[in-house]
Amino acid sequence: MTPLLYFAPLRAARGSTAATRGQNDSSVAEFILLGFSAFPELQGQMFGAFLVIYLVTLMGNATIVAVILLDQSLHIPMYLFLQNLSVVEMSFSAAITPEMLVVLTSEKATISFGGCFAQMYFILLFGGTECFLLGAMAYDRFAAICHPLSYPMIMNKRVFVKLVIFSWVSGIMVATVQTTWVFSFPYCDHKEINHLFCETPPVLELACADTFLFEVYAFTGTILIVMVPFLLILLSYTRILFSILRMPSTTGRQKAFSTCASHLTSVTLFYGTASITYLQPKSRYSPDTKKLMSLAYTLLTPLLNPLIYSLRNKEMKRAVLKLWQRKVALHRG
């Protein structure tokens, strides 16, 4: 979900195109999303699979949000960070999947200029926010395991609120700068986006202007936005590992490893799928292969996060069971 980095080999061609076309050609009323139009026989099956994944994603993340909201014992930073992460995953999925389903069921799927702008904005907003949230969650685990006695002071309510606000504000800033910049380029009569949704790389390929400065910004910004939280996560877990190894009891070590396993799995999934999609040379893959790779972080990560946290966390399982029993009791009453 880190939709930021873009390598483009067509700068010279765009520059010459811009020189021959006037700025009056720059307004495009709508774009055409091609999706998997080359494989019409598969689109029906894809629609069914994506719809099921979307519904399960919404239900799973909504359950986590509701359970943490309703169970007072879970109103601690670890679970409140998780609640924010679930809101991000749910929102990210809602920004992408409905449009994807429309593309799979239409012969000619169009999206307005404003609609494409909005979709890209929210993809970047939630992708950037998740980067920083995962970093904050790693710091929280570091404080809890390495400094258990002073943890309530280190991660108090004020610090928690600041970290959450910082994550969301950073996502908003990234989305605002990048989306505004992308849609400030002239697009002439280029309308066909060879993708399932409005993501930065395929949209930028249509620009009939020199995008070199934007590419420098996008590369630098992505390194900062991805690497700063990732280095924080790496540093936190290195300290956590040394602290766990120094624990005298086997039970204590197992409990500490179990606490961190969910977050580590989530981090691996998030950065792994994003790296596969964005940190590979673009020329190595066909457009359809790129579309399949983008599905890894647009569908897999939001789907698996609630399963990871629910199945690996005893407190979450207990809270879900408690909520279910309360619902059954009210039904019988």
Side-chain angles (χ1 to χ4, degrees):
M1 252 171 47
T2 315
L4 304 169
L5 187 59
Y6 178 58
F7 297 99
L10 304 174
R11 289 193 295 271
R14 291 197 196 112
S16 62
T17 308
T20 58
R21 292 181 185 267
Q23 286 297 317
N24 292 335
D25 268 346
S26 65
S27 60
V28 174
E30 62 180 19
F31 292 103
I32 299 167
L33 291 163
L34 298 180
F36 286 104
S37 53
F39 306 97
E41 68 282 359
L42 295 176
Q43 292 198 144
Q45 296 168 10
M46 285 182 179
F47 176 85
F50 292 176
L51 179 60
V52 170
I53 290 171
Y54 179 54
L55 294 175
V56 173
T57 298
L58 291 185
M59 286 174 58
N61 284 290
T63 300
I64 287 180
V65 172
V67 166
I68 294 172
L69 186 68
L70 295 171
D71 194 323
Q72 291 290 327
S73 67
L74 298 180
H75 289 190
I76 57 174
M78 176 181 171
Y79 294 106
L80 293 174
F81 278 126
L82 173 57
Q83 189 179 45
N84 274 270
L85 185 64
S86 290
V87 170
V88 167
E89 299 288 25
M90 208 163 30
S91 305
F92 183 79
S93 190
I96 293 177
T97 314
E99 184 62 38
M100 210 187 290
L101 296 175
V102 171
V103 172
L104 291 171
T105 54
S106 307
E107 285 187 19
K108 186 180 178 182
T110 61
I111 184 169
S112 68
F113 189 88
C116 194
F117 181 99
Q119 188 178 51
M120 185 185 292
Y121 182 89
F122 287 117
I123 290 169
L124 292 167
L125 190 160
F126 298 124
T129 301
E130 181 163 354
C131 277
F132 291 103
L133 268 179
L134 289 172
M137 290 169 78
Y139 176 70
D140 175 64
R141 291 301 82 214
F142 157 74
I145 292 169
C146 299
H147 303 284
L149 297 178
S150 53
Y151 173 71
M153 293 289 292
I154 295 171
M155 189 56 70
N156 56 43
K157 187 177 178 180
R158 191 176 172 185
V159 172
F160 163 77
V161 169
K162 281 183 178 178
L163 286 171
V164 169
I165 290 173
F166 174 78
S167 299
W168 282 97
V169 169
S170 298
I172 290 168
M173 287 173 64
V174 168
T176 302
V177 172
Q178 183 153 325
T179 311
T180 306
W181 199 343
V182 167
F183 282 92
S184 70
F185 290 117
Y187 286 91
C188 307
D189 56 352
H190 304 152
K191 290 184 177 182
E192 293 188 344
I193 300 172
N194 196 4
H195 206 53
L196 287 152
F197 50 91
C198 288
E199 198 170 24
T200 304
V203 172
L204 203 62
E205 283 177 4
L206 304 183
C208 50
D210 190 346
T211 58
F212 175 71
L213 281 178
F214 176 83
E215 289 165 30
V216 171
Y217 152 77
F219 181 83
T220 309
T222 301
I223 295 299
L224 290 173
I225 293 158
V226 173
M227 291 309 296
V228 169
F230 182 70
L231 288 173
L232 179 60
I233 291 166
L234 200 62
L235 183 62
S236 296
Y237 278 101
T238 302
R239 295 286 301 276
I240 286 169
L241 181 62
F242 283 116
S243 293
I244 289 172
L245 292 174
R246 285 200 298 266
M247 288 180 179
S249 73
T250 308
T251 309
R253 283 198 296 270
Q254 286 175 345
K255 188 177 178 182
F257 270 123
S258 176
T259 304
C260 298
S262 298
H263 186 224
L264 271 175
T265 308
S266 180
V267 167
T268 304
L269 182 68
F270 177 70
Y271 284 103
T273 54
S275 298
I276 289 169
T277 306
Y278 286 95
L279 301 180
Q280 296 289 331
K282 296 289 176 181
S283 58
R284 286 180 54 189
Y285 303 108
S286 69
D288 288 318
T289 305
K290 294 173 196 172
K291 291 172 203 172
L292 288 172
M293 289 194 296
S294 72
L295 294 177
Y297 68 86
T298 56
L299 294 177
L300 268 186
T301 310
L303 172 71
L304 294 180
N305 262 349
L307 298 175
I308 289 166
Y309 283 103
S310 301
L311 294 176
R312 294 196 58 86
N313 191 292
K314 289 179 182 178
E315 288 299 310
M316 277 300 300
K317 284 190 280 189
R318 178 198 59 75
V320 170
L321 185 62
K322 183 179 169 183
L323 192 66
W324 178 257
Q325 288 171 342
R326 192 188 304 170
K327 186 180 177 182
V328 170
L330 286 169
H331 234 52
R332 288 175 180 172

